[in-house]
Structures are given as C-alpha cells and as structure tokens.
Amino acid sequence: MTAPPAARHPLTAPTFTRRFSSTPLGARMARHEALNQLHAWGIRYGSEESERAAVVVAELAANAVTHGRVPGRDFELRLSLPTGSLRIEITDTRAERLPPGPGAVRQARPLAEEGRGLLLVDALADRWEVQDRAQPGKTVLAEIDLPRWLSLVKRIPERRPPKRRGTGGAARPCTP
C-alpha cells in the first residue's frame, strides 16, 4: 500500500499589493479594495475576520495619510495569507514620525478627537508591529488569525505565469 499524496499547499502566500494616494480618498479606497480582495479570497463581507480587517486597514491607512504623508508620495497596502493568518501591511514614506509600538500606545483623553486608531489596531489584531524600511519610511504590520485558513487557501487558484502567444508570422488584418 502506498501512502496518500500529501496535501499540496502553496509555497508562497497569496498576496495583494496596491498603492494609493496619501489623501482621505486614498485611505477610503484602500479599505474598499481590501474588503473586495478578502471577499475574493473567501473571507466574506460581514464575517468577523472581514470586519476586524476593515477597521485595521481603515485605521492604518488613515494614520499613513495623516501622520505619514509626504507630498507627492503614495502609501502602499499589502495583504497576504501566510500560514494561519491574514497579514495587513501599510507602508508610508515618512521615516521621522514612527508610531508607538504594541504595549506603548497610550489611552486617548476622553474628549480628544484623535489618538484611538492604534488602540483599535491593538484590540483587533492578534499581533502587530512597526518596522523600519531600508528606504525612507515605515511599515505597520498587523496579523489577524484565521481559524479556517487552510480551507481558504485550498480554494484560491494557483497563480501561474500567463501563457505567451507566439509572435511568428505576419499579423493578419481583421475582417468582418
């Protein structure tokens, strides 16, 4: 008897990366695009994981626009599904304004109009951190555990390079 073949898992995590303008509209678009991508990966709209991710992306994108903005520079959203979790990364180009990391976020004053974003990230993400970049800027990375990760990854089609079409022969004109 032979053993059944091992389950095939992707060697690289499914990834989505997109740049957005460092404006309030760019922050809203990042949240919208993130939710669409999560839905395409099988993390349905309105699920607990989707709702948590929506708030984390919204807060980190708003921080990138408000505190990490460099005129003429975009911020980047990167989503991936490493083993067992959803990873959310927001990268901006301002290096001199690093946010406090996990455990260093202070409570906002009761009537303050700002200062709650990272508290929400801290409450909703299972893990998060601030990373310096080799280029000017920083990345705030947050992870949300996905109990159904394996079933999600099994449904995502393998990414294969596009087939190349031959270029031999002359082009033929289109005829009706």
Side-chain angles (χ1 to χ4, degrees):
M1 271 183 135
T2 60
R8 293 181 50 93
H9 302 291
L11 294 177
T12 59
T15 303
F16 170 86
T17 304
R18 181 131 329 135
R19 291 184 169 270
F20 297 93
S21 65
S22 290
T23 63
L25 177 61
R28 285 192 303 274
M29 291 299 297
R31 179 183 176 277
H32 178 76
E33 291 285 330
L35 287 175
N36 283 341
Q37 183 59 51
L38 296 181
H39 187 76
W41 282 342
I43 302 171
R44 301 288 176 225
Y45 296 117
S47 68
E48 178 188 346
E49 293 89 356
S50 175
E51 294 295 319
R52 288 171 62 193
V55 174
V56 169
V57 169
E59 293 301 333
L60 295 181
N63 283 352
V65 167
T66 304
H67 306 293
R69 183 174 189 274
V70 173
R73 300 282 177 99
D74 296 337
F75 72 92
E76 182 179 272
L77 165 68
R78 181 180 169 94
L79 304 171
S80 60
L81 293 173
T83 303
S85 66
L86 164 66
R87 180 174 292 159
I88 300 164
E89 299 175 51
I90 300 281
T91 301
D92 64 51
T93 54
R94 175 158 279 165
E96 68 276 6
R97 295 186 75 180
L98 293 176
V105 180
R106 288 186 258 137
Q107 290 285 346
R109 297 173 65 153
L111 298 176
E113 293 184 14
E114 57 184 39
R116 291 177 181 80
L118 288 178
L119 288 171
L120 288 170
V121 171
D122 196 50
L124 295 172
D126 292 297
R127 290 164 300 287
W128 71 282
E129 65 183 8
V130 179
Q131 300 176 337
D132 285 326
R133 290 179 27 175
Q135 302 162 349
K138 64 191 163 295
T139 298
V140 181
L141 181 148
E143 286 191 353
I144 297 171
D145 290 337
L146 298 174
R148 300 175 315 131
W149 176 86
L150 187 56
S151 66
L152 292 172
V153 172
K154 283 182 178 179
R155 280 190 257 157
I156 297 172
E158 276 189 55
R159 290 178 289 174
R160 296 184 183 170
K163 292 182 180 177
R164 300 185 98 197
R165 292 189 175 165
T167 56
R172 292 182 296 185
C174 293
T175 55

